[in-house]
């Protein structure tokens, strides 16, 4: 099968690849770019472990072909820390026990990051509703909901400190 030139940005860095059209974005991220923080599990759009941001929107990367990333801006879990410091959301997941085995965590954090950056309503009910596409077998979700709200508090304090 002939390959297709595909150019996009991942975590702020330009990437140029030649891809077989049938390959999934999740496989390209993991196998070609070594970004194994994005997990590949169900392959049926159910679990959300493969969630990344594509042009700012949370997308399950097992539902998208690598070639469809052409011209897009992709953010993966590896792109969240700044200067070696974890993003407040990552810290909040630890502090509020939003993870146990950690398998769902990168995808879960990317969906939560999307909620925060989009300025979504962060009531418990809305957070749970927005997480319906991310499955966690361990935590019971309570810590995850708490982590999102705690991260918002930390981010608001950071903003206030800048003013
Ligand atoms: S691996 Fe993509 S939703 Fe499960
Ligand atoms: S922490 Fe184990 S699946 Fe979520």
């Amino acid at each position: 099968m002939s390959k297709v030139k595909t150019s996009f940005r991942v975590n702020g860095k330009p990437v140029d690849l030649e891809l077989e059209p049938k390959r999934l974005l999740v496989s390209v991220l993991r196998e070609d770019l070594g970004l194994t923080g994005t997990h590949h599990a169900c392959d049926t759009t159910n679990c959300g472990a493969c969630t990344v941001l594509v042009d700012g929107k949370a997308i399950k990367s097992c539902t998208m072909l690598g070639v469809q990333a052409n011209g897009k801006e992709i953010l993966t879990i590896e792109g969240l820390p700044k200067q070696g410091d974890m993003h407040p959301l990552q810290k909040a997941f630890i502090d509020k026990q939003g993870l146990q085995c950690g398998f769902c965590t990168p995808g879960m954090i990317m969906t939560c990051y999307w909620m925060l950056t989009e300025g979504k309503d962060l009531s418990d009910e809305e957070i749970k509703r927005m997480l319906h596409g991310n499955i966690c077998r361990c935590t019971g979700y309570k810590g995850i909901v708490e982590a999102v709200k705690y991260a918002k508090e930390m981010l608001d304090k950071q903003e206030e400190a800048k003013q």
Side-chain angles (χ1 to χ4, degrees):
M1 189 180 292
S2 61
K3 294 188 175 180
V4 177
K5 281 190 181 176
T6 307
S7 301
F8 52 95
R9 291 173 71 83
V10 180
N11 302 332
K13 293 188 188 135
V15 171
D16 295 298
L17 296 169
E18 299 222 348
L19 298 176
E20 285 178 25
K22 67 179 182 184
R23 291 188 64 219
L24 298 173
L25 178 60
V26 64
S27 303
V28 173
L29 292 172
R30 290 177 57 85
E31 295 161 18
D32 298 34
L33 302 176
L35 297 169
T36 53
T38 301
H39 289 165
H40 195 181
C42 70
D43 225 1
T44 54
T45 325
N46 283 305
C47 75
C50 64
T51 305
V52 299
L53 264 61
V54 178
D55 286 348
K57 291 197 168 61
I59 299 284
K60 293 177 179 176
S61 59
C62 74
T63 66
M64 185 169 163
L65 297 169
V67 293
Q68 291 176 305
N70 193 50
K72 310 268 187 213
E73 183 82 39
I74 314 275
L75 183 68
T76 72
I77 190 74
E78 290 89 348
L80 290 195
K82 293 282 174 273
Q83 280 122 27
D85 276 345
M86 283 189 288
H87 187 276
L89 190 52
Q90 294 173 294
K91 291 180 189 162
F93 263 67
I94 295 170
D95 290 352
K96 297 293 178 184
Q97 298 171 345
L99 73 157
Q100 287 182 28
C101 80
F103 191 82
C104 71
T105 309
M108 197 68 81
I109 287 181
M110 295 315 291
T111 299
C112 297
Y113 181 86
W114 164 79
M115 287 178 209
L116 290 167
T117 53
E118 290 285 306
K120 298 286 185 188
D121 171 5
L122 298 182
S123 62
D124 287 15
E125 295 69 29
E126 271 302 293
I127 294 171
K128 286 179 196 163
R129 190 186 65 74
M130 290 185 279
L131 283 175
H132 75 275
N134 290 77
I135 294 173
C136 177
R137 295 189 305 178
C138 306
T139 63
Y141 297 89
K142 187 170 183 295
I144 294 170
V145 173
E146 290 302 314
V148 177
K149 294 193 292 185
Y150 187 47
K152 173 79 168 91
E153 277 174 38
M154 284 196 276
L155 288 163
D156 286 350
K157 279 186 191 153
Q158 282 181 2
E159 276 308 305
E160 277 168 33
K162 282 188 205 161
Q163 288 164 9

